[in-house]
Amino acid sequence: MSGVDTADGEPGGVVYLVGSGPGDPDLMTVKARRLVDEADVVLHDKLPGPEILDLIPEERREDVGKRAGGEWTPQEYTNRRMVELAREGKRIVRLKGGDPFVFGRGGEEMEHLAEHEVAFEVVPGLSSAVAGPGVAGIPLTHRDFASSVSFVTGHEDPTKEESAVDWEALAATGGTLVVLMGVGKLPEYVAALRGGGMAPETPVAMVERATWPDQRVVTGTLDTIVDLRDREGIEPPAITVIGEVAATRERVKAFLREGGDEDG
Ligand code: SAH
């Protein structure tokens, strides 16, 4: 599988842009697992989670998540490293939490590879945006009260004029909102949604480290969720689900098996 021919006829490596799923190794695709097992090098950050990273021997993995100092920003370094390894003829897995194309910069990496004439393949993964609410007993849509779902980054500052996310318009959809990277700026986008007319009693849930061994879930309303986040000390990575669907968890919780329950 390695040693595909590049455009100029030289044997080159190949990069697999692989989604790891939300963190439980059993939720990796069969293909992701096989590629991770067979890769010469796995380039990863921390998001695939401890259980998946533990499957990869130290000598075959490189953490490209953090690189303090130095002239390369992390993304530039990762891009450069992928091309470098491909030119050595390596079979590279670029392992990304969830799905590579859901707020994962997979699009940029793919374009970089194409520009540098490196062969690549995209291996989709189960996004935390879908799996996180799911394992917590929160359906993203529901025939009775949610006919649409929006995936949104909470990273943008909602108070800045040029914010790319129109929270007021999102408040008006009446559908489910799933916010990624939304722990730090929770107070700001909650206020923006309230400003857009969303009711204070709208159910909200936060799923922290979904499918990791130490998964936690908090549920409240638009009115209470900021206090709950602070009281429970919710930290990234976490998914915020806003909308009527978030209330279903409380109705089913007594029978919901979570995390490693089935093993115990
Ligand atoms: N490509 C990833 C998302 C990357 S953006 C995916 O498809 O899941 C990073 C954000 O993803 C985090 O801030 C958090 O909101 C979310 N996230 C990723 N893994 C998570 C997990 N196991 N539990 C909760 N949130 C997670």
Side-chain angles (χ1 to χ4, degrees), residues 21-23 47 96-104 125-129 132 179-182 207-212 236-240:
L47 206 55
K96 294 179 155 291
D99 182 88
F101 287 170
V102 178
F103 297 117
L126 178 54
S127 178
S128 65
V179 187
L180 294 90
M181 298 172 281
V207 187
E208 180 192 57
R209 295 190 292 273
T211 83
W212 295 22
I239 294 286
T240 309

Side-chain angles (χ1 to χ4, degrees), residues 6 12-15 43 76-90 92 109-119:
T6 48
V14 57
V15 176
L43 299 177
E76 284 167 337
Y77 178 83
T78 305
N79 287 349
R80 193 184 55 148
R81 189 73 184 128
M82 286 190 299
V83 171
E84 202 171 78
L85 288 164
R87 289 190 176 146
E88 290 169 16
K90 296 282 195 326
I92 302 132
E109 293 182 11
M110 172 176 73
E111 287 177 89
H112 183 84
L113 293 169
E115 270 162 34
H116 290 79
E117 302 182 0
V118 172

